[in-house]
Amino acid sequence: MIRKIITPVNTIFFFWGLVLLTFSESYPQYTRYYLYSSIVAILPIMIFDLRKQRKEDKQNGIVKFQSAIYRMLIMAVMLGIAYFITKQNHI
């Protein structure tokens, strides 16, 4: 049971969140740059993982890659909707 909860990905996200909280409390002017650098750091990892899934799909004839792409598209739409809902008109 505990092995399913404590995984390397979960611990990475936990420490990423702790660093984000520390930055936002101590240096609020650098929070945006921390988030930008997080995006830049995660993109190569995502691309590598998707290439690995696509290669595995071709070899085994499964649709893991396709479902991953669909999940990302759904999340992109949800983030876009959340952005437009919370968008404020600054003068």
Side-chain angles (χ1 to χ4, degrees):
M1 176 69 181
I2 197 80
R3 284 187 176 178
K4 291 182 181 180
I5 296 172
I6 301 176
T7 61
V9 174
N10 287 343
T11 55
I12 289 170
F13 278 126
F14 178 72
F15 286 119
W16 176 84
L18 286 179
V19 172
L20 178 62
L21 285 173
T22 304
F23 262 77
S24 63
E25 289 295 321
S26 302
Y27 308 104
Q29 68 271 22
Y30 296 121
T31 303
R32 176 183 292 180
Y33 303 113
Y34 176 73
L35 292 173
Y36 289 158
S37 63
S38 298
I39 291 171
V40 170
I42 200 69
L43 279 177
I45 297 169
M46 283 181 53
I47 291 170
F48 176 75
D49 187 47
L50 287 174
R51 290 183 71 192
K52 185 174 72 171
Q53 284 180 358
R54 186 172 181 203
K55 186 178 181 181
E56 182 181 328
D57 282 355
K58 284 184 180 181
Q59 290 176 350
N60 299 334
I62 55 178
V63 290
K64 193 174 182 182
F65 176 73
Q66 183 180 7
S67 63
I69 295 295
Y70 287 154
R71 279 193 308 261
M72 284 193 294
L73 288 175
I74 290 169
M75 285 307 297
V77 168
M78 289 174 64
L79 286 173
I81 290 170
Y83 171 76
F84 286 114
I85 288 174
T86 60
K87 183 179 175 185
Q88 296 177 2
N89 295 325
H90 295 288
I91 297 177

